[in-house]
Amino acid sequence: NEIASWPTDNILIDETTKTLDLLEGNILIEEDGYTIGDGEKQSYTGAYTISGNSTSTTNSITVSGGTHTIVLDNVIITTAAGSPITLTNKAKVNLQLSGTTTLNSPAKKACIEVPKGCELSLSGTGKLFAMGGQSAAAIGASGSDKDADAGTLGKIVIYSGTIVAKGGRNGAGIGDGQCGRGGGKIIVYG
């Protein structure tokens, strides 16, 4: 069950990868397929590449359940209400960085939300710039000014890539947000 056995430096941009264009709408990846915007769910169980063509968007990515390898290829997301990338329902994601990805989230929301029960690994040769909203971590848990509303923290493992993560006021760069309930695990290699 350890993410440590996942690929760490090989970017998977080939014929076995399904490429999704974030500019077409919000992306929902589930254990057995994906949905873009208001479209119908498409069955698929392989690796994904999500491209953004270095164009800023307010569209977001949600991964709900399952184990997935996802390559982020030059994605720029600035959201006004939710997290740019959210893991839910015990999702395990190997997020590989290609090119430069920039994420900005609103108050109380993490750029990449990794709640209790979810796992995120980061690897690749690309760069990730993440700026969490006020009270939130950049990568990890969303925050709040009330204990009951604060997010929880899952497991985050960083293998490679260039990662600049700046939490909002009272939020960690990587970890918990304000009033966070802890319980997570963060491992950094190299």
Side-chain angles (χ1 to χ4, degrees):
N1 261 342
E2 281 292 314
I3 295 177
S5 64
W6 291 6
T8 59
D9 288 323
N10 299 329
I11 300 294
L12 296 173
I13 302 178
D14 60 27
E15 65 278 350
T16 63
T17 304
K18 179 69 177 173
T19 300
L20 305 178
D21 186 349
L22 186 60
L23 301 179
E24 292 179 9
N26 295 322
I27 295 174
L28 170 62
I29 296 175
E30 298 175 281
E31 191 167 358
D32 58 350
Y34 67 92
T35 305
I36 300 176
D38 294 329
E40 291 186 26
K41 182 176 179 178
Q42 303 295 312
S43 294
Y44 184 73
T45 57
Y48 293 91
T49 295
I50 297 178
S51 73
N53 301 314
S54 297
T55 302
S56 185
T57 183
T58 59
N59 295 330
S60 62
I61 301 164
T62 300
V63 183
S64 179
T67 300
H68 306 278
T69 296
I70 300 171
V71 176
L72 285 183
D73 185 23
N74 292 306
V75 169
I76 303 171
I77 305 173
T78 299
T79 55
S83 295
I85 301 174
T86 303
L87 279 58
T88 65
N89 195 24
K90 298 183 180 178
K92 295 180 182 177
V93 176
N94 176 20
L95 198 59
Q96 298 185 351
L97 305 173
S98 176
T100 300
T101 291
T102 303
L103 306 173
N104 293 287
S105 59
K108 302 180 183 177
K109 294 296 181 182
C111 291
I112 303 177
E113 188 161 358
V114 186
K116 183 177 180 179
C118 293
E119 298 181 19
L120 171 72
S121 76
L122 291 165
S123 63
T125 57
K127 298 176 182 174
L128 170 63
F129 297 95
M131 176 72 83
Q134 179 181 328
S135 303
I139 301 171
S142 289
S144 177
D145 52 1
K146 299 176 187 172
D147 289 345
D149 296 334
T152 59
L153 181 60
K155 182 176 180 182
I156 301 168
V157 182
I158 299 173
Y159 292 102
S160 59
T162 300
I163 299 168
V164 178
K166 184 174 190 282
R169 184 172 55 96
N170 299 320
I174 300 172
D176 251 332
Q178 180 178 346
C179 296
R181 292 182 260 167
K185 188 177 205 179
I186 301 169
I187 302 169
V188 180
Y189 294 99

